[in-house]
Structure formats: C-alpha cells, structure tokens
Amino acid sequence: MTPGRRAVVVVCDSLAADLVRPETAPALSALRAAGADFAQARSVFPSTTRTSSASMATGCLPAAHGLLGNTMVIDEGLGLVRLSVGKPDFLDRLRRATGRTLARPTWAQRLAGRGGSIVMSNVSPGAAYLQDPEGFGHVYHRSGSFGPGRRPLDDGLAIEVGAAGDAAMTDRFCREVLRARAPALAVLWLSEPDHTAHRTALGSPAHRAMIAHADACVEQVRRTVDALDPRGEDILLVACSDHGMETVARQIDLDALLADAGWKDAPDSPDVVVAPNGTAALLYFAAAARPRIPRLARWLQAQDFAGRVFWGDALAEVGLPAGGPLGIALALRADDAANAHGVPGRSVSVSSPFSDTSAPGCAQHGGLGPNEQHPFLCLRGGGFRPGRRHQRVSLIDIAPTVLRHLGAAADGMQGRGLQ
Ligand SMILES: [Zn+2]
C-alpha cells in the first residue's frame, strides 16, 4: 500500500455519457474537461446495476464473478427457480445453493487491513451488497448496514431511494467518510437519475432535474476532495455511471411467448426459465431441456423482438458462462429513433414479475443498445493527465486502476489499469 493514497468512486446510476452536457450537468462536464475523460467506456452485459456492481468490485466479467443479472435462476434443490438479485436475502440464498456469492475477490476484500473500504449506496440492496458480499469492509444501505464480518451497524443509513435520500447520503459521505474516517476506498452510489428514469421519459423535465441533482452531489464530493487534497496527487477521484438507458419501445412477455410456441411446458414451468433483465433476457435450461437450445436460439433470432442471440461458445464472447444451466442470452432489438424529448435510442424490453416500472415510453437497460452500453467515465487526480481518451475500456477496468493507485494487488482481474 502507498501511504496517504486514497480513492473515491462516485456512481450516477444510469447516466449515459451523451446526457452529460453543460446545461444539465455543469459539474460533471467540467470534471470531464479537467480530468481524463474515457469517451469510449462501455458497460458489461447484461447492462444491469447488480451485474455492474459485481463487475466494478471484482474487475471481472459476469462469467468470472458469477453474478449474471438483476434476475438470476438458481437450483435450490427443487429445480430451477427465478429470483430477484435485488432482494436483501438473495445473496444468502445464492450462498446456500452454490456455496459462494461472488466467485472472485472484491476490492473490499483486497483492501481489508490495508486502509479498508466504505460503500454508501442508495440503489437496490442486492446491488449495494454485491460491492462487498462477504463483509470485508463497511457497506451502508437503507435495508441494513454492515461492518467487517457482516456485523450489523447501529448507525445505519435511514434514507429513501430518490433525490432526497441521495442528497442526505452525499452529505454524510463527505462529512463522515471522506473527512473523518478516510478509508483507502470510498464508494458513493447514487440512485438518480436511474430511479426517476424508470418512471418517466429520458430527457423529460423530471429526468433532466435528476441529472442536475446527481451532478450537484458529484460537485459536493469534488469540492470535498479538493479541500482534502489541494494538489490533486493523493486522492484519485472516479466519477462514472454503471450503464446508460434506452427508451422502452414495447414490452414482451417472453414466458408466454415461449409457452405459446411450445418451447416450454407452461409460462411458469421449470424446464426453460427466463431471467428477465430489462432489455435483455437470459434463458436457463433444466438438463432434460438442453437439447432444445440450438433450435430455440434460431427461433428467437427470427423474431421481430430479437436483437442478438448468444448460445454455446458465443456466450463467452459477451462475458457470460457457457456449459452451465444458462443456455441462451438474448439482447432485445434496439434502434436509434428519438423519443419526444429528442433523446435517441429505443429498445424492446421483457416484462418481469419483480418490477412494475419501465412501461413503454419510460427508460430501461440491460441489453446491448448503444446508449445503455455507453456510461460516462472520468478520472481526476492520482497522476492522470487531463484529456479525452478514445481507447475502448469498460467497467472492469476501474478496480485495477483504483488498486494500482493505492498500491494494492489486482492479480486475477480481467480488467486493465486505465492510462
Ligand atoms: Zn444501474
């Protein structure tokens, strides 16, 4: 470890790079201009918050860390069952079923005893806890806050999802985490503009107000960092989003469509189980149903809702595991048509029993659309030269960059330190 070095990571959930503009996000725009702006940053697939959280924490793709979406299908002993990864008890069920949570170490684990980590997150409990599922550092979330050893903390985060909660969390983060406790790694994960965009149109006045709100939170963090490190050498500040969004063109009920076409016995049968992930869907197969995979993949590719279909060895090309119960990954069809507010990018989405948001006209993510795959990513301090970078980088490159700055090992990570 390098003494005195620290890293601060701020995530504005769902804020696409193209929506970071001076008129709605002046502080982020200034930060991008003053720092290293990675203009070709990409999300992972599925481009969901929980997958992104695990990929940021481990520096690995989903095939390696094993967390495959906002919804996952596991076998708890009675056949394949579909679960929301966002629920507070998901990681306990995954651990019971598989003997583990994430299959790769997180940055919290790597920094335990080496300056430590504190995460404050206002997104889903699942996404928050995936930063540090085994409790090596501190994670604060409204559903429960935990210290090392998953010890419940008395000073929890009593906030609501949304702008007011984000503001209260940012205040506490700057005062308590950055100024007083000073861990090696501090992560602040804002719920906006994601929370509002799932309920309204991209570029609408409500959505723009939430971008401005997230921008103000980032500005508060930047000012605090500047006060603590006026020369900009010791603290590496990372400002980013996990993914962008697409406007929902229409929603499909993939369970019903598959059952109607005879690919599964019934919409809720355990032979073929759909894990809806917004604008993507992952299809899991019981052993007896696996011979259906090649023909079903070809059928899916011919449907008007399909974008790209991956199965067999092609799953590995998009960072997903091949050879297990996951048989097919589907990215729904996206196009670049603009919505009523002039924001381009539409996609078909898959309805989910775990979510009643993201109706047509509202925003969603999960797939491979160009906007949902295009988060912003900028770094300042820690020796980074200002300027725009054009190399293709992704979320998995953040952790090795942070660990390099801190002087900690990043062995086994698939990402590469940013330059
Ligand atoms: Zn997200």
Side-chain angles (χ1 to χ4, degrees):
M1 291 294 293
T2 308
R5 290 277 182 93
R6 296 164 61 186
V8 178
V9 179
V10 186
V11 185
C12 304
D13 205 291
S14 277
L15 179 51
D18 291 345
L19 296 177
V20 177
R21 296 181 190 145
E23 59 271 25
T24 43
L28 279 170
S29 299
L31 197 58
R32 287 174 79 176
D37 178 19
F38 288 85
Q40 300 297 325
R42 290 291 178 272
S43 185
V44 293
F45 178 69
S47 50
T48 59
T49 304
R50 296 156 206 166
T51 337
S52 303
S53 179
S55 286
M56 281 178 64
T58 61
C60 289
L61 294 169
H65 61 61
L67 198 287
L68 306 185
N70 273 2
T71 307
M72 269 182 71
V73 175
I74 63 175
D75 188 343
E76 297 179 300
L78 298 171
L80 297 177
V81 58
R82 170 166 64 195
L83 299 175
S84 168
V85 176
K87 298 276 169 55
D89 69 345
F90 171 79
L91 289 171
D92 291 331
R93 292 178 73 168
L94 181 66
R95 191 184 291 110
R96 277 197 300 274
T98 66
R100 61 160 180 80
T101 50
L102 295 178
R104 294 293 182 95
T106 61
W107 45 15
Q109 181 171 354
R110 293 170 186 267
L111 293 170
R114 298 180 175 91
S117 61
I118 301 178
V119 177
M120 285 190 169
S121 173
N122 198 22
V123 291
S124 73
Y129 300 146
L130 281 164
Q131 285 286 300
D132 182 14
E134 301 301 330
F136 288 93
H138 291 77
V139 178
Y140 288 81
H141 188 270
R142 57 183 189 275
S143 292
S145 301
F146 300 92
R150 294 282 289 164
R151 173 175 51 87
L153 299 171
D154 296 331
D155 59 339
L157 201 55
I159 58 172
E160 300 289 325
V161 65
D166 284 357
M169 179 175 72
T170 303
D171 256 359
R172 184 171 166 190
F173 181 81
C174 290
R175 180 170 29 85
E176 179 184 318
V177 179
L178 297 186
R179 288 185 180 277
R181 297 171 66 180
L185 172 64
V187 179
L188 179 72
W189 200 305
L190 304 170
S191 68
E192 297 288 4
D194 176 84
H195 177 67
T196 293
H198 280 290
R199 293 158 178 81
T200 188
L202 294 173
S204 64
H207 180 236
R208 291 204 310 273
M210 289 304 108
I211 295 175
H213 192 275
D215 186 72
C217 292
V218 176
E219 176 65 357
Q220 193 176 344
V221 172
R222 186 202 57 83
R223 285 175 189 270
T224 307
V225 168
D226 280 359
L228 292 167
D229 181 23
R231 293 182 304 160
E233 292 174 0
D234 294 331
I235 302 182
L236 172 64
L237 174 61
V238 181
C240 64
S241 49
D242 48 350
H243 50 76
M245 299 182 106
E246 307 283 344
T247 296
V248 176
R250 67 186 169 101
Q251 225 172 26
I252 60 166
D253 181 343
L254 192 53
D255 289 309
L257 289 168
L258 293 178
D260 285 350
W263 293 109
K264 64 200 254 71
D265 294 341
D268 60 351
S269 60
D271 49 347
V272 180
V273 182
V274 175
N277 276 283
T279 51
L282 272 56
L283 280 64
Y284 294 71
F285 294 77
R290 290 191 69 81
R292 298 176 209 171
I293 292 173
R295 285 187 303 125
L296 174 49
R298 283 191 287 275
W299 179 84
L300 281 168
Q301 191 65 76
Q303 305 306 307
D304 64 359
F305 55 75
R308 298 179 66 188
V309 181
F310 305 93
W311 63 282
D313 292 342
L315 288 168
E317 291 169 19
V318 282
L320 290 169
L326 174 67
I328 298 175
L330 167 67
L332 279 296
R333 175 168 290 185
D335 63 40
D336 61 359
N339 73 2
H341 303 283
V343 177
R346 298 186 308 178
S347 180
V348 181
S349 77
V350 180
S351 61
S352 168
F354 304 119
S355 172
D356 58 2
T357 61
S358 295
C362 299
Q364 185 55 285
H365 52 91
L368 290 171
N371 302 288
E372 58 195 342
Q373 280 288 323
H374 196 187
F376 77 94
L377 170 61
C378 68
L379 291 83
R380 209 205 52 180
F384 269 92
R385 281 180 297 104
R388 182 161 284 196
R389 311 290 201 275
H390 295 284
Q391 67 265 40
R392 190 75 176 256
V393 302
S394 95
L395 290 186
I396 65 172
D397 301 318
I398 295 172
T401 308
V402 162
L403 293 173
R404 182 187 64 204
H405 173 71
L406 297 174
D411 53 295
M413 288 190 170
Q414 295 172 318
R416 293 285 167 262
L418 298 166
Q419 302 291 336

